[in-house]
Amino acid sequence: MGVYIVKRLLLIIPTLVGIMLINFVVIQSAPGGPVDQAIAKLQGQDGLATGNIGGSEGGLANTSAMDSSSASAFDSARGLDPSYIEELEKQFGFDKPAHERFLIMMWDYLRFEFGDSFYQDRAVVDLVVERMPVSISLGLWTLLLVYSISIPLGIAKAVRDGEPFDLWTSAVVFTAYAIPAFIIAVLLIVFFSSGEFFRLFPLRGLVSDNFAELSLVQKILDYVWHMTLPIVAMVLGGFATLTLLTKNSFLEEINKQFVLTARAKGITERRVLYGHVFRNAMLIVIAGFPSAFVGILFTGALLIEVVFSLSGLGLLGYEAALTRDYPIVFGTMYVFTLLGLVMHLIGDVTYMLVDPRIDFETREA
């Protein structure tokens, strides 16, 4: 296992560089970059609408941020001093060729130096650390609740396959799965926060404004009070897949010969289920935990953060993409990608720990 882990760790570096390169090309080729944003603001236009301005300030295919001919057209169209345009390019780092910018960026990122935000005048690392607790809270509690609900429910559905309990719970599961999490979030706000029906939970935020003045018990209760609706919305939209996966895994194992043999020996149904079936059936469920955590943490929570005004990593990356705040965009992307690759490795190792019969190292050989 040790050799396999070392190989996978070494493969993370080229994989990470390749992913960042593709995103670098795509993002910097899009119109409405930082230079366009700054010029649009000077002209009294909305910076977020600069996507209509022709041409980006640089893509990897360009040998420089902007050649002299395109700069002339760029400047004349706006009536701005070319020297001022050059100053803007230098300020945002577009005075260097695209490939040089990418190499500098990756060298800094390998040392976890992400630079400063273009518009917030703060270090990207500080922004990520500040927003991390919100995303971790949403992702961790959601995942724990999803697994706590889905696994027992999936087992119960497998044992009662075809019975009324299975049919009714399937209807509930598929209904919850069919409704997007952000729609559920809006409905929860309307019914339980807006005052139209009830006003039981807060509309926004992770904690109350007077959080620092509360006692420890009050802080915990205040935190739970604020997190209840966002987590409920994410759990309702996320437990269907795991429930059905658990059910199908158990059904497959229950019908195998070794289970029939155990029953023929007079072993109790409970012991057969949890002593013989559980370990094999839960292999794929348990090993998928790391990947599921990454998915919920970095993708599933974005719209929930927007609806409930929770300042997490998803909202930070989304806002940065709108404003073309490249240090935040690429910095958060680097962290997300690195964490995702590491969590996938943890998932593979978990497979081998749960079932020693699985050996990726031998299979590679």
PDB file of all heavy atoms in Angstrom, residues 183-201:
ATOM      1  N   ILE A 183     -34.454  25.356  -4.197  1.00  0.00           N
ATOM      2  CA  ILE A 183     -35.904  25.536  -4.154  1.00  0.00           C
ATOM      3  C   ILE A 183     -36.430  25.163  -2.772  1.00  0.00           C
ATOM      4  O   ILE A 183     -37.279  25.859  -2.192  1.00  0.00           O
ATOM      5  CB  ILE A 183     -36.602  24.679  -5.236  1.00  0.00           C
ATOM      6  CG1 ILE A 183     -36.178  25.146  -6.630  1.00  0.00           C
ATOM      7  CG2 ILE A 183     -38.116  24.760  -5.077  1.00  0.00           C
ATOM      8  CD1 ILE A 183     -36.626  26.547  -6.975  1.00  0.00           C
ATOM      9  N   ILE A 184     -35.918  24.062  -2.242  1.00  0.00           N
ATOM     10  CA  ILE A 184     -36.281  23.679  -0.876  1.00  0.00           C
ATOM     11  C   ILE A 184     -35.885  24.778   0.100  1.00  0.00           C
ATOM     12  O   ILE A 184     -36.638  25.102   1.035  1.00  0.00           O
ATOM     13  CB  ILE A 184     -35.604  22.348  -0.499  1.00  0.00           C
ATOM     14  CG1 ILE A 184     -36.102  21.212  -1.399  1.00  0.00           C
ATOM     15  CG2 ILE A 184     -35.860  22.009   0.965  1.00  0.00           C
ATOM     16  CD1 ILE A 184     -35.425  19.884  -1.152  1.00  0.00           C
ATOM     17  N   ALA A 185     -34.704  25.375  -0.121  1.00  0.00           N
ATOM     18  CA  ALA A 185     -34.240  26.459   0.757  1.00  0.00           C
ATOM     19  C   ALA A 185     -35.200  27.649   0.723  1.00  0.00           C
ATOM     20  O   ALA A 185     -35.538  28.219   1.765  1.00  0.00           O
ATOM     21  CB  ALA A 185     -32.836  26.889   0.344  1.00  0.00           C
ATOM     22  N   VAL A 186     -35.630  28.017  -0.467  1.00  0.00           N
ATOM     23  CA  VAL A 186     -36.569  29.136  -0.596  1.00  0.00           C
ATOM     24  C   VAL A 186     -37.887  28.815   0.102  1.00  0.00           C
ATOM     25  O   VAL A 186     -38.456  29.661   0.813  1.00  0.00           O
ATOM     26  CB  VAL A 186     -36.808  29.473  -2.082  1.00  0.00           C
ATOM     27  CG1 VAL A 186     -37.931  30.501  -2.222  1.00  0.00           C
ATOM     28  CG2 VAL A 186     -35.525  29.987  -2.727  1.00  0.00           C
ATOM     29  N   LEU A 187     -38.390  27.598  -0.073  1.00  0.00           N
ATOM     30  CA  LEU A 187     -39.639  27.201   0.583  1.00  0.00           C
ATOM     31  C   LEU A 187     -39.494  27.232   2.103  1.00  0.00           C
ATOM     32  O   LEU A 187     -40.407  27.668   2.821  1.00  0.00           O
ATOM     33  CB  LEU A 187     -40.045  25.804   0.120  1.00  0.00           C
ATOM     34  CG  LEU A 187     -40.479  25.673  -1.347  1.00  0.00           C
ATOM     35  CD1 LEU A 187     -40.745  24.208  -1.692  1.00  0.00           C
ATOM     36  CD2 LEU A 187     -41.725  26.512  -1.615  1.00  0.00           C
ATOM     37  N   LEU A 188     -38.364  26.780   2.606  1.00  0.00           N
ATOM     38  CA  LEU A 188     -38.134  26.808   4.051  1.00  0.00           C
ATOM     39  C   LEU A 188     -38.118  28.236   4.578  1.00  0.00           C
ATOM     40  O   LEU A 188     -38.659  28.518   5.667  1.00  0.00           O
ATOM     41  CB  LEU A 188     -36.817  26.110   4.380  1.00  0.00           C
ATOM     42  CG  LEU A 188     -36.772  24.589   4.185  1.00  0.00           C
ATOM     43  CD1 LEU A 188     -35.369  24.051   4.419  1.00  0.00           C
ATOM     44  CD2 LEU A 188     -37.754  23.900   5.123  1.00  0.00           C
ATOM     45  N   ILE A 189     -37.502  29.139   3.814  1.00  0.00           N
ATOM     46  CA  ILE A 189     -37.479  30.538   4.232  1.00  0.00           C
ATOM     47  C   ILE A 189     -38.888  31.116   4.249  1.00  0.00           C
ATOM     48  O   ILE A 189     -39.285  31.825   5.192  1.00  0.00           O
ATOM     49  CB  ILE A 189     -36.565  31.353   3.295  1.00  0.00           C
ATOM     50  CG1 ILE A 189     -35.100  31.007   3.550  1.00  0.00           C
ATOM     51  CG2 ILE A 189     -36.788  32.854   3.489  1.00  0.00           C
ATOM     52  CD1 ILE A 189     -34.131  31.701   2.632  1.00  0.00           C
ATOM     53  N   VAL A 190     -39.661  30.836   3.217  1.00  0.00           N
ATOM     54  CA  VAL A 190     -41.031  31.360   3.135  1.00  0.00           C
ATOM     55  C   VAL A 190     -41.876  30.868   4.301  1.00  0.00           C
ATOM     56  O   VAL A 190     -42.624  31.634   4.920  1.00  0.00           O
ATOM     57  CB  VAL A 190     -41.673  30.951   1.791  1.00  0.00           C
ATOM     58  CG1 VAL A 190     -43.166  31.287   1.794  1.00  0.00           C
ATOM     59  CG2 VAL A 190     -40.979  31.652   0.633  1.00  0.00           C
ATOM     60  N   PHE A 191     -41.750  29.594   4.634  1.00  0.00           N
ATOM     61  CA  PHE A 191     -42.618  29.011   5.661  1.00  0.00           C
ATOM     62  C   PHE A 191     -42.115  29.268   7.085  1.00  0.00           C
ATOM     63  O   PHE A 191     -42.932  29.435   8.000  1.00  0.00           O
ATOM     64  CB  PHE A 191     -42.756  27.500   5.443  1.00  0.00           C
ATOM     65  CG  PHE A 191     -43.754  27.131   4.387  1.00  0.00           C
ATOM     66  CD1 PHE A 191     -43.324  26.834   3.097  1.00  0.00           C
ATOM     67  CD2 PHE A 191     -45.113  27.088   4.667  1.00  0.00           C
ATOM     68  CE1 PHE A 191     -44.242  26.496   2.114  1.00  0.00           C
ATOM     69  CE2 PHE A 191     -46.030  26.753   3.687  1.00  0.00           C
ATOM     70  CZ  PHE A 191     -45.607  26.458   2.407  1.00  0.00           C
ATOM     71  N   PHE A 192     -40.796  29.309   7.275  1.00  0.00           N
ATOM     72  CA  PHE A 192     -40.281  29.333   8.641  1.00  0.00           C
ATOM     73  C   PHE A 192     -39.469  30.571   9.014  1.00  0.00           C
ATOM     74  O   PHE A 192     -39.065  30.706  10.168  1.00  0.00           O
ATOM     75  CB  PHE A 192     -39.416  28.090   8.892  1.00  0.00           C
ATOM     76  CG  PHE A 192     -40.168  26.803   8.746  1.00  0.00           C
ATOM     77  CD1 PHE A 192     -39.944  25.979   7.652  1.00  0.00           C
ATOM     78  CD2 PHE A 192     -41.101  26.414   9.693  1.00  0.00           C
ATOM     79  CE1 PHE A 192     -40.637  24.792   7.511  1.00  0.00           C
ATOM     80  CE2 PHE A 192     -41.797  25.223   9.562  1.00  0.00           C
ATOM     81  CZ  PHE A 192     -41.572  24.407   8.460  1.00  0.00           C
ATOM     82  N   SER A 193     -39.235  31.481   8.065  1.00  0.00           N
ATOM     83  CA  SER A 193     -38.406  32.651   8.392  1.00  0.00           C
ATOM     84  C   SER A 193     -39.005  33.980   7.962  1.00  0.00           C
ATOM     85  O   SER A 193     -38.669  35.018   8.543  1.00  0.00           O
ATOM     86  CB  SER A 193     -37.014  32.506   7.743  1.00  0.00           C
ATOM     87  OG  SER A 193     -36.329  31.400   8.260  1.00  0.00           O
ATOM     88  N   SER A 194     -39.840  33.978   6.954  1.00  0.00           N
ATOM     89  CA  SER A 194     -40.307  35.241   6.386  1.00  0.00           C
ATOM     90  C   SER A 194     -41.364  35.936   7.224  1.00  0.00           C
ATOM     91  O   SER A 194     -41.569  37.139   7.107  1.00  0.00           O
ATOM     92  CB  SER A 194     -40.871  35.001   4.981  1.00  0.00           C
ATOM     93  OG  SER A 194     -42.032  34.184   5.041  1.00  0.00           O
ATOM     94  N   GLY A 195     -42.063  35.184   8.074  1.00  0.00           N
ATOM     95  CA  GLY A 195     -43.163  35.763   8.830  1.00  0.00           C
ATOM     96  C   GLY A 195     -44.499  35.605   8.146  1.00  0.00           C
ATOM     97  O   GLY A 195     -45.542  35.897   8.743  1.00  0.00           O
ATOM     98  N   GLU A 196     -44.511  35.150   6.891  1.00  0.00           N
ATOM     99  CA  GLU A 196     -45.772  34.908   6.195  1.00  0.00           C
ATOM    100  C   GLU A 196     -46.556  33.792   6.886  1.00  0.00           C
ATOM    101  O   GLU A 196     -47.779  33.851   6.985  1.00  0.00           O
ATOM    102  CB  GLU A 196     -45.502  34.531   4.743  1.00  0.00           C
ATOM    103  CG  GLU A 196     -44.896  35.641   3.900  1.00  0.00           C
ATOM    104  CD  GLU A 196     -45.897  36.749   3.625  1.00  0.00           C
ATOM    105  OE1 GLU A 196     -47.117  36.474   3.636  1.00  0.00           O
ATOM    106  OE2 GLU A 196     -45.454  37.898   3.425  1.00  0.00           O
ATOM    107  N   PHE A 197     -45.845  32.772   7.359  1.00  0.00           N
ATOM    108  CA  PHE A 197     -46.469  31.678   8.091  1.00  0.00           C
ATOM    109  C   PHE A 197     -45.908  31.610   9.516  1.00  0.00           C
ATOM    110  O   PHE A 197     -46.644  31.694  10.482  1.00  0.00           O
ATOM    111  CB  PHE A 197     -46.240  30.356   7.359  1.00  0.00           C
ATOM    112  CG  PHE A 197     -46.859  30.302   5.989  1.00  0.00           C
ATOM    113  CD1 PHE A 197     -46.146  30.709   4.867  1.00  0.00           C
ATOM    114  CD2 PHE A 197     -48.156  29.857   5.821  1.00  0.00           C
ATOM    115  CE1 PHE A 197     -46.720  30.656   3.603  1.00  0.00           C
ATOM    116  CE2 PHE A 197     -48.736  29.805   4.563  1.00  0.00           C
ATOM    117  CZ  PHE A 197     -48.019  30.215   3.444  1.00  0.00           C
ATOM    118  N   PHE A 198     -44.580  31.442   9.596  1.00  0.00           N
ATOM    119  CA  PHE A 198     -43.922  31.389  10.899  1.00  0.00           C
ATOM    120  C   PHE A 198     -42.623  32.206  10.816  1.00  0.00           C
ATOM    121  O   PHE A 198     -42.101  32.462   9.749  1.00  0.00           O
ATOM    122  CB  PHE A 198     -43.580  29.943  11.294  1.00  0.00           C
ATOM    123  CG  PHE A 198     -44.771  29.019  11.299  1.00  0.00           C
ATOM    124  CD1 PHE A 198     -45.019  28.185  10.213  1.00  0.00           C
ATOM    125  CD2 PHE A 198     -45.627  28.976  12.383  1.00  0.00           C
ATOM    126  CE1 PHE A 198     -46.108  27.330  10.210  1.00  0.00           C
ATOM    127  CE2 PHE A 198     -46.720  28.121  12.388  1.00  0.00           C
ATOM    128  CZ  PHE A 198     -46.965  27.302  11.296  1.00  0.00           C
ATOM    129  N   ARG A 199     -42.141  32.606  11.974  1.00  0.00           N
ATOM    130  CA  ARG A 199     -40.835  33.263  12.057  1.00  0.00           C
ATOM    131  C   ARG A 199     -40.024  32.552  13.147  1.00  0.00           C
ATOM    132  O   ARG A 199     -39.791  33.082  14.234  1.00  0.00           O
ATOM    133  CB  ARG A 199     -40.988  34.748  12.368  1.00  0.00           C
ATOM    134  CG  ARG A 199     -39.695  35.547  12.134  1.00  0.00           C
ATOM    135  CD  ARG A 199     -39.855  36.996  12.568  1.00  0.00           C
ATOM    136  NE  ARG A 199     -40.818  37.692  11.766  1.00  0.00           N
ATOM    137  CZ  ARG A 199     -40.553  38.296  10.613  1.00  0.00           C
ATOM    138  NH1 ARG A 199     -39.313  38.258  10.143  1.00  0.00           N
ATOM    139  NH2 ARG A 199     -41.482  38.923   9.938  1.00  0.00           N
ATOM    140  N   LEU A 200     -39.597  31.338  12.812  1.00  0.00           N
ATOM    141  CA  LEU A 200     -38.923  30.496  13.789  1.00  0.00           C
ATOM    142  C   LEU A 200     -37.413  30.513  13.657  1.00  0.00           C
ATOM    143  O   LEU A 200     -36.704  30.224  14.623  1.00  0.00           O
ATOM    144  CB  LEU A 200     -39.426  29.048  13.666  1.00  0.00           C
ATOM    145  CG  LEU A 200     -40.939  28.836  13.832  1.00  0.00           C
ATOM    146  CD1 LEU A 200     -41.283  27.369  13.611  1.00  0.00           C
ATOM    147  CD2 LEU A 200     -41.392  29.298  15.206  1.00  0.00           C
ATOM    148  N   PHE A 201     -36.911  30.829  12.458  1.00  0.00           N
ATOM    149  CA  PHE A 201     -35.480  30.785  12.214  1.00  0.00           C
ATOM    150  C   PHE A 201     -35.035  32.080  11.531  1.00  0.00           C
ATOM    151  O   PHE A 201     -35.839  32.756  10.878  1.00  0.00           O
ATOM    152  CB  PHE A 201     -35.118  29.581  11.333  1.00  0.00           C
ATOM    153  CG  PHE A 201     -35.421  28.258  11.964  1.00  0.00           C
ATOM    154  CD1 PHE A 201     -36.616  27.598  11.687  1.00  0.00           C
ATOM    155  CD2 PHE A 201     -34.525  27.666  12.836  1.00  0.00           C
ATOM    156  CE1 PHE A 201     -36.909  26.378  12.262  1.00  0.00           C
ATOM    157  CE2 PHE A 201     -34.804  26.446  13.422  1.00  0.00           C
ATOM    158  CZ  PHE A 201     -35.997  25.799  13.138  1.00  0.00           C
TER     159      PHE A 201
END
